[in-house]
Amino acid sequence: MKHMIIASTSTIFNSGYLEYILEDLKTHFNNVKTILFIPYARPGGITHEDYTARAQAAFSKISINVVGLHTFNNPEQAILQAEAIFVGGGNTFVLVSQLYKVNAIQTIIEAVNSGTPYLGTSAGSNICGLTMNTTNDMPIVYPPSFKTLGLVPFNINPHYLDPDATSTHMGETRETRIKEFMCYNTQPVVGLREGSWLEVKGSTITLKGRLTARIFEHNKEPYELKPESDISLLK
Amino acid sequence: MKHMIIASTSTIFNSGYLEYILEDLKTHFNNVKTILFIPYARPGGITHEDYTARAQAAFSKISINVVGLHTFNNPEQAILQAEAIFVGGGNTFVLVSQLYKVNAIQTIIEAVNSGTPYLGTSAGSNICGLTMNTTNDMPIVYPPSFKTLGLVPFNINPHYLDPDATSTHMGETRETRIKEFMCYNTQPVVGLREGSWLEVKGSTITLKGRLTARIFEHNKEPYELKPESDISLLK
């Protein structure tokens, strides 16, 4: 049975790393002693070691140990044997490229389907969707595919951002970008605002946090979904 | 001899399509009767026809005719025979995918190198760089490669945007994104603010418009470049 938290972001404004969600993580990772951390997304290009230390600092507060996947000679085995998995944010293109490189995609799907608790933040949440086509990240490396874990039957847009009515910048709004995606693809997109997350328990998917999520479906106007809604029928 | 305008954007705030640069286009396309428009980037997912009509409406003001590349059975031949080429903005992933699909990449390089005047805006400028790795666009389709025209010896980031000091959103700033790119790549990046463009005349590349550009070089702090600077030595 799947047991996942798919969070828009690791960090909300004026708060420490994972701080806003730490109490929920305590419940989510109940009885877990050691989490396998996948640091591949490397935010700001930091090293795997430094990124793992950042995760460790947060999880120390709830007495959980963190080991980085980069320290294992056999990543596939490490994933299958992990008590729990956390995929951190950063650049989705870098993350997905590295996951393909070490053959981790199929292995993570297998582990999560067999019940290994999963936490994803930002890029680590984006990859839970069908494809990474709705990432906000800059394509700084070329991955072998945009296909991702497909652990939920839609795409995810983390850090969902409403249009800024005062902006004089002519770049596209997030809504415009996702609507463009919908011109070429039919799967729904869940725009998760910062501070929101999806809780996946088996086949039930619930929106958590205080904010609504913005839902994009093929041939429909985008709409808002309330917290605590069940979105498992979205596909 | 190359003869290009590589513009950050087609449209600046409170101004019509191409309006801010129309006088310069008149000079750039001196004696040109018909421009070949490449509408593949499809902003907002609009049709090639509608996009070509938008370009025609702007160029009518300087008495230039516009034909869309999508109307030709043989795109390669159309590019080689064009009096001038304009590649409009939209989504860079959609644009590059379609250019590869019709074998247009090498043909555009050939045409521009043999002197066909070129105008690019936004996505149409991004592709003038070595790769499309520094686009701001959402990866809504998967192109066969991120390699682009390489008509200038660096990468381009159009719509360059300074960090918003008042923002509470935790997404990366443009500078952070480009610095991440520099962790994995060595070529320079030119951050072109809206209203700026590069003028390429043979091997001379000059920054035009009223604003400075932000330059990112490997192992260097980013710096500002003044308008009218020659950046042909950047590589």
Side-chain angles (χ1 to χ4, degrees):
Chain A
M1 185 178 121
K2 275 186 259 186
H3 189 61
M4 308 171 71
I5 285 184
I6 300 173
S8 174
T9 183
S10 62
T11 313
I12 58 171
F13 187 66
N14 262 340
S15 172
Y17 186 68
L18 294 177
E19 200 179 311
Y20 78 99
I21 201 172
L22 213 51
E23 277 306 306
D24 294 271
L25 294 182
K26 214 164 153 177
T27 312
H28 184 63
F29 291 126
N30 184 29
N31 288 327
V32 169
K33 285 192 181 63
T34 301
I35 286 178
L36 180 67
F37 179 58
I38 305 188
Y40 292 166
R42 298 180 57 190
I46 64 167
T47 63
H48 294 150
E49 289 73 21
D50 286 352
Y51 196 16
T52 304
R54 190 186 296 180
Q56 178 63 80
F59 276 101
S60 291
K61 293 172 191 159
I62 53 172
S63 306
I64 293 178
N65 192 32
V66 172
V67 286
L69 182 56
H70 63 289
T71 62
F72 290 87
N73 287 329
N74 187 334
E76 289 179 81
Q77 196 181 50
I79 290 163
L80 291 175
Q81 293 179 347
E83 273 184 87
I85 296 169
F86 169 29
V87 182
N91 185 290
T92 310
F93 294 86
V94 176
L95 169 60
V96 170
S97 296
Q98 188 64 17
L99 288 176
Y100 274 105
K101 202 170 167 185
V102 304
N103 276 319
I105 298 274
Q106 203 49 47
T107 321
I108 296 173
I109 295 172
E110 219 174 289
V112 173
N113 278 328
S114 71
T116 308
Y118 180 99
L119 166 66
T121 59
S122 192
S125 292
N126 192 280
I127 61 167
C128 295
L130 295 169
T131 71
M132 57 168 282
N133 288 92
T134 49
T135 176
N136 311 306
D137 296 336
M138 190 171 265
I140 58 178
V141 297
Y142 184 71
S145 169
F146 283 171
K147 215 174 154 223
T148 47
L149 301 171
L151 290 164
V152 290
F154 42 76
N155 266 34
I156 288 170
N157 179 252
H159 300 278
Y160 185 78
L161 188 63
D162 293 295
D164 173 3
T166 66
S167 175
T168 61
H169 187 71
M170 303 301 289
E172 293 85 0
T173 66
R174 188 67 56 82
E175 178 156 318
T176 302
R177 292 168 191 271
I178 298 174
K179 280 181 168 173
E180 273 186 26
F181 169 80
M182 303 304 294
C183 294
Y184 302 93
N185 302 271
T186 54
Q187 68 256 45
V189 180
V190 175
L192 271 182
R193 293 188 174 85
E194 291 179 343
S196 297
W197 67 95
L198 300 178
E199 181 191 80
V200 184
K201 281 190 176 171
S203 57
T204 306
I205 309 172
T206 312
L207 176 64
K208 294 286 182 179
R210 285 192 305 260
L211 303 173
T212 58
R214 192 142 186 91
I215 310 292
F216 299 78
E217 289 189 80
H218 197 59
N219 289 333
K220 257 195 188 177
E221 269 305 293
Y223 60 94
E224 293 293 317
L225 188 89
K226 284 190 179 146
E228 298 302 326
S229 300
D230 176 3
I231 54 170
S232 47
L233 290 179
L234 191 70
K235 63 181 71 167
Chain B
M1 185 178 120
K2 275 187 260 187
H3 189 60
M4 309 172 72
I5 285 182
I6 299 172
S8 173
T9 184
S10 61
T11 314
I12 59 171
F13 186 67
N14 263 340
S15 172
Y17 186 68
L18 293 177
E19 200 179 310
Y20 77 100
I21 201 172
L22 213 51
E23 278 305 305
D24 294 272
L25 294 182
K26 213 164 154 178
T27 313
H28 183 64
F29 291 126
N30 185 30
N31 288 327
V32 169
K33 285 191 183 60
T34 302
I35 287 178
L36 179 69
F37 179 57
I38 304 188
Y40 292 166
R42 299 180 55 190
I46 63 167
T47 64
H48 294 149
E49 289 72 20
D50 286 352
Y51 197 15
T52 304
R54 190 185 295 180
Q56 179 63 79
F59 276 100
S60 291
K61 295 175 190 159
I62 53 172
S63 306
I64 293 178
N65 191 33
V66 171
V67 286
L69 183 56
H70 63 289
T71 62
F72 290 87
N73 287 328
N74 187 334
E76 288 180 81
Q77 197 182 49
I79 290 164
L80 291 174
Q81 293 178 347
E83 273 183 87
I85 296 168
F86 169 29
V87 183
N91 186 290
T92 310
F93 293 86
V94 176
L95 170 61
V96 169
S97 297
Q98 189 63 17
L99 288 176
Y100 273 105
K101 202 169 168 188
V102 304
N103 276 319
I105 298 274
Q106 203 49 47
T107 321
I108 296 174
I109 295 172
E110 220 175 288
V112 174
N113 278 328
S114 71
T116 308
Y118 180 98
L119 166 67
T121 59
S122 194
S125 292
N126 192 279
I127 61 167
C128 295
L130 294 169
T131 72
M132 57 168 284
N133 288 92
T134 49
T135 176
N136 311 307
D137 296 337
M138 190 171 266
I140 57 178
V141 297
Y142 184 71
S145 168
F146 283 171
K147 217 177 152 217
T148 47
L149 301 171
L151 290 164
V152 290
F154 42 75
N155 266 35
I156 288 171
N157 179 253
H159 300 277
Y160 185 78
L161 189 62
D162 293 295
D164 173 4
T166 66
S167 174
T168 61
H169 187 72
M170 303 301 288
E172 294 85 0
T173 66
R174 188 67 56 84
E175 178 156 318
T176 301
R177 292 167 190 272
I178 299 175
K179 280 182 169 173
E180 273 186 26
F181 169 80
M182 303 304 294
C183 293
Y184 302 92
N185 302 271
T186 53
Q187 68 257 45
V189 180
V190 175
L192 270 182
R193 293 187 174 85
E194 291 180 344
S196 297
W197 68 93
L198 299 178
E199 180 191 81
V200 184
K201 281 189 175 171
S203 57
T204 305
I205 309 173
T206 312
L207 175 64
K208 294 284 181 180
R210 284 192 306 260
L211 303 174
T212 58
R214 193 143 185 91
I215 310 293
F216 299 78
E217 288 188 80
H218 197 59
N219 289 333
K220 256 194 189 180
E221 269 304 295
Y223 59 93
E224 293 293 317
L225 188 88
K226 286 190 178 146
E228 300 301 326
S229 299
D230 175 3
I231 55 169
S232 48
L233 290 179
L234 192 69
K235 65 181 71 169

